Amino acid sequence: NAGVTQTPKFRILKIGQSMTLQCTQDMNHNYMYWYRQDPGMGLKLIYYSVGAGITDKGEVPNGYNVSRSTTEDFPLRLELAAPSQTSVYFCASRPLAGGRADTQYFGPGTRLTVL
Amino acid sequence: RKEVEQDPGPFNVPEGATVAFNCTYSNSASQSFFWYRQDCRKEPKLLMSVYSSGNEDGRFTAQLNRASQYISLLIRDSKLSDSATYLCVVSLLTGGGNKLTFGTGTQLKVEL
């Protein structure tokens, strides 16, 4: 049981390039989330999904896109990377119900630098 | 006013000390409350949930005061391994499920 996995761990992009951050969970969780964390700041929600085929914007969605074709995968797409997108990106998931339904489980993060 | 406010610290304490962190939240409709721990360059991990009646897990005690919209975390007998950033997290139920709002974290450094 790997939990939430993210790839890549690190990436350097040039301004204007695009990339996809991968996130996979093997806990059969319905809810999945993407956050970004800037130095000295709290986590900000980018996008979230309540199940396969359903996604919605969070607090800071501009410059990003997501899709959720399966329960397990929730990739985050950056189009036209900008220096302001330099951050650490965390994917998280949680179950629909149950005793720990309020608890989100985080992946190890992807450190992205845009130069 | 920030949705969740914490003193950023750092709190530098000697091993064995007792240290307390505070957190305030602005949305009175918030329903669930948590403390997460985040080690340097790692993902946040749930430390404990916080209940109105107060709850304890070993050396850690969490308290919630809904009237004052205030959450606390007390760490007794601090260990070097407690050095980390502690995130206060508040949950609000929305149409898309629970929305977590994170504080910026309080940094703790436990020293010999």
Side-chain angles (χ1 to χ4, degrees):
Chain A
N1 187 332
V4 181
T5 57
Q6 292 182 238
T7 57
K9 286 187 169 53
F10 307 93
R11 184 72 185 268
I12 298 175
L13 283 183
K14 294 182 179 178
I15 294 172
Q17 287 185 319
S18 60
M19 76 165 292
T20 299
L21 282 67
Q22 301 291 346
C23 175
T24 300
Q25 53 92 9
D26 62 1
M27 298 174 282
N28 202 33
H29 286 172
N30 289 77
Y31 291 92
M32 294 188 76
Y33 307 84
W34 274 107
Y35 295 91
R36 60 176 287 172
Q37 185 177 33
D38 298 328
M41 304 293 287
L43 279 75
K44 301 290 186 186
L45 182 64
I46 304 171
Y47 270 95
Y48 66 96
S49 169
V50 301
I54 307 170
T55 63
D56 209 344
K57 295 178 181 179
E59 194 178 347
V60 290
N62 291 344
Y64 307 95
N65 278 300
V66 293
S67 59
R68 184 96 182 269
S69 57
T70 66
T71 300
E72 294 77 21
D73 300 306
F74 190 40
L76 178 71
R77 178 85 177 160
L78 277 73
E79 306 281 4
L80 297 174
S84 61
Q85 292 178 305
T86 294
S87 191
V88 181
Y89 291 84
F90 289 105
C91 180
S93 72
R94 76 168 181 92
L96 178 64
R100 300 300 289 264
D102 252 354
T103 305
Q104 293 187 14
Y105 298 84
F106 285 82
T110 293
R111 294 185 175 276
L112 176 67
T113 302
V114 182
L115 300 172
Chain B
R1 182 181 173 186
K2 286 184 183 177
E3 290 187 68
V4 179
E5 288 203 67
Q6 294 182 250
D7 181 342
F11 284 60
N12 297 313
V13 302
E15 208 174 11
T18 295
V19 61
F21 304 140
N22 304 319
C23 168
T24 58
Y25 60 95
S26 62
N27 192 333
S28 59
S30 300
Q31 295 158 306
S32 302
F33 309 88
F34 309 91
W35 284 100
Y36 275 71
R37 171 189 169 131
Q38 187 172 25
D39 292 299
C40 187
R41 302 176 78 83
K42 298 284 190 181
E43 73 273 23
K45 291 185 178 177
L46 180 68
L47 178 66
M48 58 197 304
S49 301
V50 188
Y51 305 114
S52 296
S53 54
N55 49 301
E56 189 173 306
D57 183 2
R59 298 181 292 108
F60 299 83
T61 301
Q63 294 276 357
L64 166 65
N65 184 322
R66 284 189 183 268
S68 301
Q69 295 179 205
Y70 171 93
I71 305 160
S72 66
L73 177 68
L74 183 76
I75 305 175
R76 290 182 300 278
D77 190 22
S78 301
K79 310 290 185 193
L80 293 174
S81 57
D82 293 334
S83 296
T85 297
Y86 291 83
L87 306 175
C88 177
V89 183
V90 172
S91 173
L92 179 68
L93 188 62
T94 68
N98 73 326
K99 173 197 168 191
L100 293 188
T101 301
F102 290 78
T104 54
T106 298
Q107 189 178 10
L108 172 65
K109 295 181 181 179
V110 181
E111 302 163 332
L112 285 171

